[in-house]
């Protein structure tokens, strides 16, 4: 699945999605009840809104991260995508096909072949060996025993568990268990991988390894991913685009740079306060216009996607401002002052256009 | 028991200030409310119907209708379509099944059965279980009990198969459907609290006396634990795993077969084990309704107070219980341990090899059996009845009475009857009926909800309405006295066991053996020790309930949070203070459960104590069965069920806490 | 999927219906699963009742069947009324001593014909109320039921409360005592000892302490040799009273009859039981014979087999005729 065309039709297209838990949940969306605060709503109807009027697209080949604190509705949202949780209202389309309208068979087909999920608590079958766990999805699809075992063995190899095929999940470490979960999801060769906080239960070091594993997989195979996390650094590390959720709503959706550089509101700003900005923001943001033609000719040339941290290194090494060059055209200049003002966060006060999804 | 003081207190007039203070506490509020209701209703009720035992005006005599129904059934058993086309087939199927199994067992011969059972136990639970099975069956033969053992075994095999099937189906339904679960759970809970005797009469009414009703009663008694554990196992499946299975697109059936059932394996096997133990217990008691086999031999011997013969038949029952428990419980723990290295590719080959081994083993067993003959050779038996009876006579002469200082067992029995049971019974029977109702309501409400209180009161009232008030109070007095003794002894044993791992290690195997034994067996030694009457029934009940109480209490005490204990120690608490102030309060739920279990278990044995002169309700059931007077038996049986329900509700802490 | 499930259920139901024959199944004619399991007709199952006299019959019959005729004999304890059921089902082949159950006799012998009358045992049974001889000697007028109330106070026990105690034994025995006490308006309470063994224990205890007692008892019974007792005269047994009692047992107000004890066989066994059935039909002995065996079992504590063996050795003249 080559990710050649980045602006291709979206894989998942979600519009006005609502999920309300409680009695007669369907009356809440699109009514005056929708305007109430969560406390008022619970008092009046006994309902809780988990997902509130959410819309976004997941493009082919990208890693789309949904981030938020616990209770923000992100896990509910990802379960709505394959209707593990039935949405209350709104539309979900996969490759233009309406998910909400699918009958049981079509939905099973979707889950079997097109979208596979990796869970926070792994969800492995304790009575089966690693190999049989990985082969489980294929078994459910009705793949013959020899074939599914061969494919499962391949996946076990791929996630680095070769030699552990005969073990039971209880005999593995957490990280290894999650590798089994990943292999199980990959075995079906799905179009989209859904991750529900896959690494939250792991130790920090192992978490790091696993994140790199995902980044590598994403880079090598270009598989579309939807990744749920409550960890901002994880989101920034793996995500091409991030949707930040709060109270069931998407408060901002954009690239890591947009989120960090141009927080949509105080909540987001508060959220990203401690992020090392120079490692996320790029020179595209730090540059100032070319003041003189001399500047446009001299100094090291930087790609607009270069992070500020890397630019500082380049500028410090040469001692002169650097040019930001895109396909031979000089877009602007970064110098000590502009770079440092990014590190210092001085760019925040500038009025900025809202980043669009 | 201390219950009497609890309700009298709130009825006494209290100064307004104290009243308001009391109102703040929910328990006191309930009592005040109840006290007020009683104060209004009681004088009216007392004036209208008197204050003695249950007034006869409020009793409905069902003797007539029940007797007529019984006569109708007997007259129509061979002609009415309901019997010919429905019950008749059930009975026929059971008899055919038991006969088939019995004939197969006989055909295998003593050597075949012994070898087969040992092999099976070995395969399922290891060498030790295999050796136990071998020795046990050999002893059954040696005692000359081969044929009765085979009869009990045949009945057991059919009853267990049916119980497991019925229980698993019910459990499956309750495990998969919430509504079914909500409907079924209280029924199953209640069924487990009822004494075995209560199940006998209804089946006898329909099927008469014989093997078919015995099997049915056993199934009804033994299926609930299977159903319960299956449902709990299925419902307890890790939700995360199920979600993962769903996310892979599993159909409902795949989900059940590949995930839910395998994940509930431990509960399922535990259910099978419990069902087998309950079935054995019931299969033995069902000798009263014609189950034949070992239980019948015990029943026969008990009625002539022939302790030697009773023991001869009792030992095989105990051995059977141990073998069945070891074999199936071993299976449970084996399945719980994940076995590493079940590599996939060599499985088929291994399976063929296993199959070949098994085929060879079975063929050898059958050949062995045919060679060795059908029943145990008569010359190989040892008659223990006479020496046992001689020993018992010696005991009667030397231990019964007149031992300086401590008296003797007969003296103890007489004193227990004269100083504990009689006053308690007279007290309960003298208690005004409305007072008893109020007392029960107060206890049940304090410990549970108004709903439990209502159930308890209605159950007690039902006993009165059935006209079984006096015998029920007699039974109740026996239960209360035995429960009190059980609890005192239980705590005395459990506290050291909880504090010292060594005591616990010594105690554990003893408790294990005691808990597997069928209730019926306990009647044998107590007859030898205490003779006939209410005291031996109480002794059997105490011995039967004690292991469960010790186990629950010591577990509860041991589970007390070590951090809390440590902090108490750091404050300089003595051992006694730790126990009173930390461990008991923290183990409150377990202690209540222990009381509940003690009541349920004691009741079940006090009822069958009728076979050794315990009298009261149990006696009426035996009487009804023996005389073919099912009306009397049924009413007593219903009263037993009501009493069981009432006692269970009165001692049952809020359900959510311990289930 | 659902469709397939439905079909499976239908097929299973159909199979079940075929297997059970779809026809009628009369449970009163279904024999016990254990009946004649060896299939060679060489096993005989005898019912035993809990009193010693009945055990004496069975012991001797068992000994002769095994040692003289080469049968395997199995004994099953059944109370009197259920024994009829068991006899009808073939769970037991023979009932050696019946004290008279007209209802059952009519149902099973006359109507269903699953049970066959096998003649008399030779012993005459009598049930009544008895007091110990030492008490009767001291108070001769106690022997008339009309004077019983006079002694109620002396016969009081903790179990009987404020009334006199009339001690009954096993719940399974033929008894009208509750009705008698009520209809004769006696100041007595019927107290069941629970079993005959318990009753004997209590009687012996009373006798040891020379205390008075009033008990339901019967003869033949070996206990008379140890505890001499005298019968209390109840209102005379009449046919009218018997008829009334047969219609409604609660109305009985006269003494128990003197019953010639009878034997009954399962019909199938009676027809096909060969020598065994013949022996059981011929079994006929005297009160003295029965008491001799009973005494050995109950008093001398001999195993039933041993007691039977001794009697058989001593009295070949009696049993030779049975096995011919």
């Amino acid at each position: 699945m080559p990710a050649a065309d980045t602006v291709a039709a979206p894989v998942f297209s979600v519009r006005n999605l609502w999920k309300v838990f409680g009695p007669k949940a369907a009356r809440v969306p699109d009514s005056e009840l929708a305007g109430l605060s969560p406390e008022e709503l619970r008092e009046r109807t006994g309902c809780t809104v988990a997902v509130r009027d959410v819309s976004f697209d997941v493009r082919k080949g990208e890693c789309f991260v949904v981030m938020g604190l616990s209770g923000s509705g992100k896990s509910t949202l990802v379960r709505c995508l394959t209707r593990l949780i039935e949405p209350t209202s709104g539309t979900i389309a996969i490759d233009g096909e309406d998910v909400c309208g699918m009958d049981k068979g079509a939905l099973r087909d979707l889950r079997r072949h097109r979208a596979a999920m990796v869970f926070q608590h792994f969800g492995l079958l304790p009575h089966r060996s690693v190999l049989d766990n990985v082969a489980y999805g294929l078994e459910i699809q009705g793949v013959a025993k020899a074939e599914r075992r061969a494919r499962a063995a391949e996946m076990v190899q791929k996630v680095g568990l070769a030699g552990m095929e005969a073990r039971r999940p209880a005999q593995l470490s957490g990280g290894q268990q999650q590798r089994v979960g990943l292999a199980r999801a990959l075995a079906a060769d799905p179009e989209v991988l859904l991750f529900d906080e896959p690494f939250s239960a792991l130790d920090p070091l192992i978490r790091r390894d696993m994140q790199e594993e995902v980044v590598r997989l994403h880079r090598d195979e270009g598989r579309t991913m939807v990744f749920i996390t409550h960890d901002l650094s994880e989101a920034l590390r793996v995500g091409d685009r991030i949707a930040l959720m709060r109270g069931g709503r998407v408060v901002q959706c954009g690239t890591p740079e947009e989120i960090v550089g141009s927080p949509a509101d105080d909540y987001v700003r508060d959220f990203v306060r401690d992020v090392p900005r120079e490692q996320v923001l790029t020179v595209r943001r730090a540059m100032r216009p070319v003041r003189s033609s001399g500047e446009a000719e001299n100094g090291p040339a930087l790609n607009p996607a270069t992070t500020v941290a890397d630019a500082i290194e380049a500028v410090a090494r040469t001692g002169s401002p650097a040019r930001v060059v895109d396909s031979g055209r000089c877009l602007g200049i970064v110098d000590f002052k502009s770079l440092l003002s990014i590190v210092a966060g001085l760019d925040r006060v500038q009025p900025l256009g809202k980043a669009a999804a | 028991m201390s219950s009497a003081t609890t309700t009298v207190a709130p009825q006494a007039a209290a100064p307004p200030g104290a009243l308001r203070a009391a109102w703040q506490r929910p328990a006191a509020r309930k009592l005040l409310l109840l006290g007020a209701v009683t104060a209004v209703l009681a004088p009216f009720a007392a004036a209208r119907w008197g204050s003695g035992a249950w007034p006869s005006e409020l009793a409905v005599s069902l003797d007539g209708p029940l007797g007529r129904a019984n006569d109708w059934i007997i007259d129509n058993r061979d002609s009415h379509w309901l019997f010919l086309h429905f019950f008749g087939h059930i009975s026929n199927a059971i008899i055919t099944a038991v006969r088939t199994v019995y004939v197969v067992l006989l055909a295998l011969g003593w050597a075949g059965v012994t070898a087969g059972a040992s092999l099976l136990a070995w395969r399922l639970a290891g060498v030790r279980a295999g050796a136990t099975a071998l020795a046990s069956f050999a002893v059954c033969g040696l005692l000359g009990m081969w044929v009765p053992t085979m009869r009990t075994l045949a009945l057991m095999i059919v009853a267990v198969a049916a119980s497991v099937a019925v229980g698993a189906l019910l459990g499956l339904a309750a495990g998969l459907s919430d509504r079914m679960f909500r409907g079924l759970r209280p029924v199953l809970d209640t069924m487990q609290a009822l004494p075995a005797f209560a199940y006998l009469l209804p089946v006898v009414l329909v099927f008469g006396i014989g093997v078919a009703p015995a099997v049915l009663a056993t199934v009804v008694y033994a299926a609930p634990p299977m159903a319960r554990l299956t449902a709990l196992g299925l419902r307890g499946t890790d939700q995360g795993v199920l979600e993962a299975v769903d996310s892979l697109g599993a159909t409902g059936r795949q989900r059940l077969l590949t995930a839910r059932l395998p994940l509930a394996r431990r509960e399922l096997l535990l259910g099978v084990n419990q069902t087998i133990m309950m079935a054995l217990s019931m299969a033995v008691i069902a000798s009263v309704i014609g189950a034949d086999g070992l239980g019948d031999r015990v029943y026969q011997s008990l009625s002539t107070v022939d302790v030697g013969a009773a023991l001869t038949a009792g030992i095989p029952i105990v051995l059977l219980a141990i073998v069945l428990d070891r074999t199936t419980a071993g299976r449970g723990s084996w399945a719980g341990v994940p076995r590493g290295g079940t590599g996939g590719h060599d499985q088929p080959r291994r399976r063929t090899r296993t199959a070949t081994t098994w085929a060879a083993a079975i063929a050898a067993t059958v050949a062995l059996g045919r060679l060795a003959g059908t029943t145990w050779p008569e010359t190989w038996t040892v008659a223990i009845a006479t020496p046992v009876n001689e020993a018992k006579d010696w005991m009667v002469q030397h231990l019964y009475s007149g031992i300086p200082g401590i008296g003797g067992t007969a003296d103890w029995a007489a004193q227990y009857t004269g100083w504990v049971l009689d006053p308690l019974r007279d007290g309960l029977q003298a208690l005004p009926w409305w007072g008893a109702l109020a007392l029960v309501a107060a206890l049940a409400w304090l410990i549970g909800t108004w709903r439990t209180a209502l159930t308890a009161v209605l159950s007690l009232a039902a006993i009165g309405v059935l006209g079984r008030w006096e015998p029920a109070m007699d039974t109740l007095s026996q239960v209360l006295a035995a429960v009190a003794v059980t609890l005192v002894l239980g705590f005395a044993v459990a506290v050291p066991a909880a504090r010292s791992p060594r005591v616990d290690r010594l105690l554990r195997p003893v408790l294990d053996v005691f808990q597997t034994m069928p209730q019926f067996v306990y009647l044998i030694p107590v007859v030898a020790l205490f003779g006939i009457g209410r005291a031996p029934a109480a002794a059997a009940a105490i011995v039967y309930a004690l292991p469960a109480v010790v186990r629950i209490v010591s577990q509860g005490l041991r589970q007390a949070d070590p951090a809390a204990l440590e902090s108490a120690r750091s404050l300089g608490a003595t051992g006694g203070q730790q126990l009173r102030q930390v461990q008991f309060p923290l183990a409150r739920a377990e202690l209540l459960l222990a009381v509940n279990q003690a009541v349920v278990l004691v009741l079940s044995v006090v009822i069958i104590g009728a076979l050794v002169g315990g009298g009261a309700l149990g006696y009426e059931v035996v009487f009804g069965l023996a005389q073919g007077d099912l009306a009397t038996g049924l009413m007593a049986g219903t009263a037993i069920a009501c009493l069981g329900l009432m006692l269970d509700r009165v001692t049952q802490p809020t359900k959510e806490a311990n289930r | 999927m659902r469709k397939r499930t439905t079909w499976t259920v239908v097929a299973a139901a159909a199979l079940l219906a075929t297997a059970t024959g779809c026809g009628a199944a009369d449970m009163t004619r279904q024999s016990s699963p254990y009946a004649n399991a060896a299939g060679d007709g060489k096993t005989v199952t005898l019912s035993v009742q809990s009193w010693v006299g009945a055990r004496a019959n069975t012991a001797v019959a068992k000994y002769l069947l095994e040692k003289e005729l080469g049968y395997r004999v199995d004994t099953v304890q059944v109370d009197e009324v259920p024994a009829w059921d068991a006899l009808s089902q073939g769970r037991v082949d023979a009932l050696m001593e019946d004290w008279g159950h007209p209802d059952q006799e009519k149902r099973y012998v006359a109507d269903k014909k699953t049970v066959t009358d096998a003649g008399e045992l030779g012993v005459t049974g009598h049930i009544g109320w008895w007091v110990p001889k030492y008490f009767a000697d001291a108070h001769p007028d106690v022997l008339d039921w009309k004077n019983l109330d006079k002694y109620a106070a002396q016969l009081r026990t903790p179990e009987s409360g404020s009334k006199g105690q009339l001690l009954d034994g096993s719940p399974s025995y033929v008894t009208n005592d509750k009705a008698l006490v009520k209809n004769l308006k006696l100041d007595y309470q019927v107290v069941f000892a629970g079993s005959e063994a318990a009753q004997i224990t209590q009687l012996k205890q009373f006798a040891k302490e020379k205390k008075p007692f009033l008990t339901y008892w019967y003869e033949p019974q070996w206990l008379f040799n140890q505890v001499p007792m005298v019968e209390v005269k109840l209102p005379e047994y009449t046919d009218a009273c018997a008829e009334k009692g047969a219609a409604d047992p609660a109305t009985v107000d006269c003494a128990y009859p003197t019953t010639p004890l009878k034997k009954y066989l399962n019909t199938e066994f009676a027809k096909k039981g060969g020598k065994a059935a013949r022996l059981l039909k011929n079994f006929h002995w005297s009160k003295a014979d029965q008491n001799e065996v009973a005494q050995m079992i109950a008093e001398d504590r001999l195993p039933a087999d041993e007691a039977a063996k001794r009697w058989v050795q001593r009295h070949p003249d009696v049993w030779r005729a049975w096995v011919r």
Side-chain angles (χ1 to χ4, degrees), chain B residues 131-366:
Chain B
T132 313
L134 186 69
S136 300
F137 276 96
V139 170
C140 294
L142 275 177
L143 290 172
M145 284 288 138
W146 188 258
V147 170
T149 308
M150 287 308 107
R151 290 182 176 186
T152 298
L153 201 58
L155 190 145
M156 276 285 293
I157 290 172
V158 172
V160 167
S163 308
V164 167
V166 170
L169 278 179
L170 282 177
L172 207 61
L176 298 181
S177 141
D178 284 335
R179 189 185 298 172
M180 192 78 188
F181 184 66
R182 271 198 305 277
L184 212 55
R185 201 174 82 161
V187 177
L188 294 179
D189 284 350
T190 306
M191 281 177 84
Q192 286 202 309
L194 298 187
F197 248 47
Y199 293 96
L200 299 178
L201 267 301
V203 287
V204 172
L205 181 67
V206 175
F207 291 94
I209 288 207
V211 171
V215 169
L216 275 176
T218 308
V219 171
V220 171
Y221 185 65
M226 186 71 204
R228 241 181 90 139
L229 281 162
T230 308
L232 290 180
L234 287 178
R235 303 189 80 81
T237 336
D238 186 350
Q239 287 305 312
V241 175
L242 286 188
E243 194 174 36
V245 170
D246 279 344
S247 82
L248 291 165
T251 62
R253 201 153 61 135
Q254 284 173 330
R255 180 175 139 108
L256 182 67
L257 292 180
T258 62
R260 293 188 87 156
L261 282 178
L263 287 176
R265 179 153 78 169
R266 188 190 289 264
E267 279 84 1
L268 294 180
L269 289 171
L270 187 64
V272 171
N273 174 263
Q274 281 200 6
T275 293
I276 289 178
M277 299 326 286
M278 306 254 311
L280 181 60
S281 183
M282 189 64 168
V284 177
I285 291 177
S287 59
V288 183
I289 59 166
D292 214 325
L294 291 169
D296 185 65
R297 296 306 168 99
V298 176
Y299 178 42
Q300 205 170 123
S301 318
L302 282 179
S303 63
T304 51
V305 198
D306 185 346
V307 175
L311 203 64
T312 312
I315 291 171
I317 296 177
V318 172
L319 292 176
L320 211 55
I322 292 176
V323 168
L324 288 171
D325 183 56
R326 288 299 135 85
T327 306
T328 51
R331 170 102 192 158
S333 58
W334 167 80
V337 179
R339 294 189 311 161
T342 15
H345 26 274
D346 64 344
Q347 245 170 11
R349 204 187 319 147
R350 187 189 295 176
R351 201 167 289 157
T352 5
R353 208 168 53 214
T354 325
T356 327
T357 320
W358 272 106
I362 290 168
T365 313
V366 172

Side-chain angles (χ1 to χ4, degrees), chain B residues 71 74-75 77-78 83-85 87-89 91-93 95 98-99 102-103 106 147 150-152 154-155 206-211 253 287 289-293 296-297 299-306 375 378 386 389 392-393 417 422 425 532 534 610-611 613 619 622-623 625-628, chain C residues 1 4 20-39 43 45 48-51 55 66-67 72 74-82 85-86 89 91 101 104 107-108 112 158-159 169-175 178 192-198 201 301 303:
Chain B
D71 286 345
I74 289 177
D75 289 340
R77 221 177 246 158
D78 55 354
F83 290 93
L84 290 182
H85 294 278
F87 293 129
H89 285 299
S91 158
N92 193 27
I95 286 174
V98 175
R99 190 181 178 85
Y102 182 57
V103 167
L106 286 188
V147 170
M150 287 308 107
R151 290 182 176 186
T152 298
L155 190 145
V206 175
F207 291 94
I209 288 207
V211 171
R253 201 153 61 135
S287 59
I289 59 166
D292 214 325
D296 185 65
R297 296 306 168 99
Y299 178 42
Q300 205 170 123
S301 318
L302 282 179
S303 63
T304 51
V305 198
D306 185 346
T375 54
E378 213 164 300
T386 316
N389 278 333
K392 188 221 157 196
D393 287 344
T417 313
D422 284 349
R425 183 185 60 185
I532 291 270
R534 282 174 287 158
L611 298 175
Y619 178 78
V622 180
F623 178 86
L625 286 169
Q627 289 284 356
Chain C
M1 192 66 64
R4 202 163 76 200
T20 51
C22 239
D26 181 356
M27 65 170 87
T28 58
R29 282 175 217 280
Q30 289 161 0
S31 65
S32 152
Y34 309 128
N36 192 22
T43 305
T45 312
V48 199
Q49 278 71 53
S50 54
W51 63 92
R55 291 170 69 200
E66 283 180 340
K67 296 289 161 4
R72 280 186 300 277
D74 213 358
T75 57
V76 176
Q77 159 123 10
V78 214
D79 292 321
E80 282 176 276
V81 178
D85 263 337
Q89 295 166 4
R91 193 159 83 85
H101 291 89
Q104 275 75 10
R107 181 177 303 138
Y108 294 114
K112 290 195 201 296
E159 300 288 330
S170 163
S172 63
Y173 292 0
V174 172
T175 174
K178 278 189 176 165
F192 283 88
S195 69
E196 183 176 279
T201 312
R301 292 270 176 185

Side-chain angles (χ1 to χ4, degrees), chain C residues 5 8 41 70 139 151 159 169 228 245 261 293 295 309 323:
Chain C
T5 321
T8 320
H139 309 278
Y151 296 95
E159 300 288 330
L261 306 182
V293 182
Q295 174 106 23
K309 187 176 164 195
V323 291

Side-chain angles (χ1 to χ4, degrees), chain B residues 41-42 44-62 432-434 437 458 460-469:
Chain B
L41 289 182
F44 165 72
R48 178 85 172 73
W49 291 297
S51 280
W54 187 269
S56 54
E57 292 89 348
L58 291 181
V60 181
S61 173
L62 292 177
W433 57 276
W434 46 265
L437 289 181
L458 286 180
L460 189 62
I463 296 174
V465 170
L466 285 172
R468 300 263 69 80
W469 187 264

Side-chain angles (χ1 to χ4, degrees), chain B residues 633-651:
Chain B
L634 258 177
M635 290 209 302
T638 315
I640 290 172
C642 290
L643 193 63
L645 192 61
M646 187 273 277
L647 284 171
D648 182 54
R649 289 303 128 100
V650 164
T651 54

